[in-house]
Amino acid sequence: MESMLNKLKSTVTKVTADVTSAVMGNPVTREFDVGRHIASGGNGLAWKIFNGTKKSTKQEVAVFVFDKKLIDKYQKFEKDQIIDSLKRGVQQLTRLRHPRLLTVQHPLEESRDCLAFCTEPVFASLANVLGNWENLPSPVSPDIKDYKLYDVETKYGLLQVSEGLSFLHSSVKMVHGNITPENIILNKSGAWKIMGFDFCVSSTNPSEQEPKFPCKEWDPNLPSLCLPNPEYLAPEYILSVTCETASDMYSLGTVMYAVFNKGKPVFEVNKQDIYKSFSRQLDQLSRLGSSSLTNIPEEVREHVKLLLNVTPTVRPDADQMTKIPFFDDVGAVTLQYFDTLFQRDNLQKSQFFKGLPKVLPKLPKRVIVQRILPCLTSEFVNPDMVPFVLPNVLLIAEECTKEEYVKLILPELGPVFKQQEPIQILLIFLQKMDLLLTKTPPDEIKNSVLPMVYRALEAPSIQIQELCLNIIPTFANLIDYPSMKNALIPRIKNACLQTSSLAVRVNSLVCLGKILEYLDKWFVLDDILPFLQQIPSKEPAVLMGILGIYKCTFTHKKLGITKEQLAGKVLPHLIPLSIENNLNLNQFNSFISVIKEMLNRLESEHKTKLEQLHIMQEQQKSLDIGNQMNASEETKVTNVGSQQIDKVFNNIGADLLTGGESENKEDGLQNKQKRASLTLEEKQKLAKEQEQAQKLKSQQPLKPQVHTPIAPVKQTKDLTDTLMDNMSSLTSLAVSTPKISASSSFTSVPSTGLGMMFSTPIDNTKRNLTNGLNANMGFQTSGFNMPVNTNQNFFSSPSTPGVTKMALGTPSTLPNFSAVSVPPAGGKQTQQRPTDMSALNNLFGPQKPKVSMNQLSQQKPNQWLNQFVPPQGSPGMGSSVMGTQVNVMGQSAFGMQANPFFNPQNFAQPPTTMTSSSSASNDLKDLFG
């Protein structure tokens, strides 16, 4: 890769150096910028040809440069002869003006290092094209190396040379004297031009009918640049030292032979022995047969043989050659007509341009682009010819690549896009709009092409509007969405609303219907459909156009109409239109069919929606019912518990003694609730309890034991504290006290295995029981020692026959009750601020007087306890509070609601009860002395 870059760099450097050294100091460089070396031409290909531009006008030119270094090997007088010969040829060419001669833009300029002049833009010489690359830059440009002549180019090129010779022979009375491939130049358009008048001979008697041309004898001692090319020279030049116009025709014959034989001349000439070579050539020419001309087309083979005839008078002249059938080719004639186009009037031009589309497909693309297209675009300056020229230009554009179109055609079309007259220009562009939108860059489409379409929609001509509306759908997919939405659609709507022509209105609706697929759904719903209601016309064609747009929108997969639009806007518009009197039966059926389809879809969509809503509502209702049932069950359980608590407080004494039938009913209800809400763990626990109950049946009934007041061996639980705790729990249930944190429970002594009598773990899913008292209040006492048989089961099944009996030991002293924890027995009690005990006011009804904590603390222990114990003989509490024996009944308030498995019916009546309250009173007396 690096070697290639170095090679390229050296080549560029060499070319730049060649240009600089060749042209530096030449006056031509004052007015022209010299470009790269592209070709070579002239006698011996001595002239280097460069690209160039004129500084003032930026006009493209070709700069011919002769570097004097090429003749450094010659003597001074030989150099002067060569320079003089070159100057003479250029000066003669500068004086002559003809389409078949190379046009000189700037005359010859000489400097110390070179000769230079400027001409029209040039591609190469015919010798370069035929494979002679002498004096060309290395490597040879692919444009020249790969260049192949088409038949039409060859035919028309030879015709052009013949026409040029005809001009020289007939008009100028001049013999060129050196017609060779080196002196035939192909310009930028591919036209063949004659140059190299170094050895031209003018007539000595131009006014006479028979011109005479003097001829110089061949001097082999002269430099080669001072002599014509002998391979293309007529024999009479050498053998008889004469020349005439026929001598140029011989040269033309040799050129024709070389063109069809890849640049090879008829004969090879030994320049050292020129006379002997030409003598041998003369014999060969006299015996020249068709076998030697096999590569020449048959229709011109005989003419070439005549041109190569030894006798000059037999050779056809230039005028005769221009009229041979070989040059009557359609392509050659077409190219010839273009070259003479400036001589024709508008009528002749229009007839020619009308027939040109039939000829263009037969011509090579290079010929069309190089030769025909420039001639066509040059006619755009004539507005009357534009409608005839434009179809051919667009036809050529179809065959061009996008790059060629942008480079060669689009710049010429720019001014034509803006022409509004004649109106046919707009029609032609509209018919080829797909081509323009395909190959034109987006910026040019927005700036040049679409404005022309907008002008067509706003044109006063109804025919233009109709054509534009018919053509727009064919290229709608090539228009960018913003332009269509903001510029094209509004103009179509205006054309529909403002026109007085029914055809334009109908075509507008048809156009909208065809381009709906390229629009956005919401743009159609918000802009197109409301526009249909603004159309005032009620003709059947217009109504069917409106129906068509509705149907296209309704049935299109991408678009569609919402059911809200159908119900609110579309159907209210279509139904009145369907009963217009102008509609026939088929049109009415079309309306009704579309309306029914819309109604069916509206029904199905809305019905589906309602069914889904109904299902959701049913699901929500079922969820609500489930929640209500759960809530009602909880409420029911709570209400039942509240009723039971009320009964406990109202009939606590009687229930303890009698155990009425209400217990059985409530017990049955609780059993139902228990069965309905038992979990697997609860069932396992219940089974264990039943097993324990069976064991209890086999045990002997418990007998009361009397204990002397001695220091307890085991840690016991204060009865007063237990009484207060359970009573406060019952109160909190009765008054529906809000949930309070567990820290508000009464403080008690450590558990002895029994817990708090009948309190059990609380079911947190149902409720959270609290004591209902002040959270800061604690009742901690000492002295009530309750030795308890911890093996006794307090939670038994209904089959448990016995009851639990406990003996209370009489404490020696009853310490003062305070709001804070007291130290153990024997410790020093700290005086604390008494706590408000108003929370206990509601425990035992209104008949009890309110006692403050200060009063309680000042009372004696017996007085304080009497506030909670009924008098003797009272049926309320009886002996259930304290005594020698305490019967724990099923209906007891202690822990009844805290444990759902505790049921008053689970405990049968004790076999022995207290018959009178006197025993309880005696026990109290014994207890407190």
Side-chain angles (χ1 to χ4, degrees), residues 120-263:
E120 61 183 297
V122 166
F123 170 69
S125 64
L126 182 59
N128 295 150
V129 172
L130 295 176
N132 188 347
W133 300 331
E134 184 180 348
N135 208 13
L136 282 179
S138 179
V140 180
S141 171
D143 295 338
I144 295 177
K145 189 175 182 179
D146 301 332
Y147 193 90
K148 301 298 179 184
L149 290 170
Y150 293 106
D151 289 341
V152 64
E153 292 179 302
T154 302
K155 290 179 180 180
Y156 187 57
L158 295 173
L159 177 60
Q160 288 177 308
V161 174
S162 301
E163 291 175 348
L165 291 175
S166 175
F167 165 72
L168 294 176
H169 297 165
S170 303
S171 302
V172 184
K173 307 295 183 179
M174 177 185 291
V175 174
H176 185 278
N178 194 24
I179 296 296
T180 63
E182 292 89 346
N183 288 323
I184 297 175
I185 301 297
L186 277 64
N187 71 359
K188 201 78 172 182
S189 300
W192 292 18
K193 302 293 185 78
I194 299 173
M195 69 165 289
F197 288 86
D198 302 359
F199 310 103
C200 65
V201 180
S202 297
S203 175
T204 57
N205 54 345
S207 60
E208 297 182 6
Q209 196 71 15
E210 291 293 333
K212 293 180 180 180
F213 301 97
C215 182
K216 294 181 180 181
E217 185 177 357
W218 181 270
D219 186 359
N221 296 321
L222 291 175
S224 59
L225 292 179
C226 295
L227 295 172
N229 190 343
E231 294 176 348
Y232 295 90
L233 199 60
E236 58 267 22
Y237 270 101
I238 305 298
L239 300 178
S240 61
V241 194
T242 60
C243 67
E244 51 185 307
T245 57
S247 300
D248 284 343
M249 300 310 295
Y250 177 89
S251 299
L252 177 61
T254 58
V255 170
M256 294 176 69
Y257 182 92
V259 168
F260 293 110
N261 287 274
K262 299 180 180 180

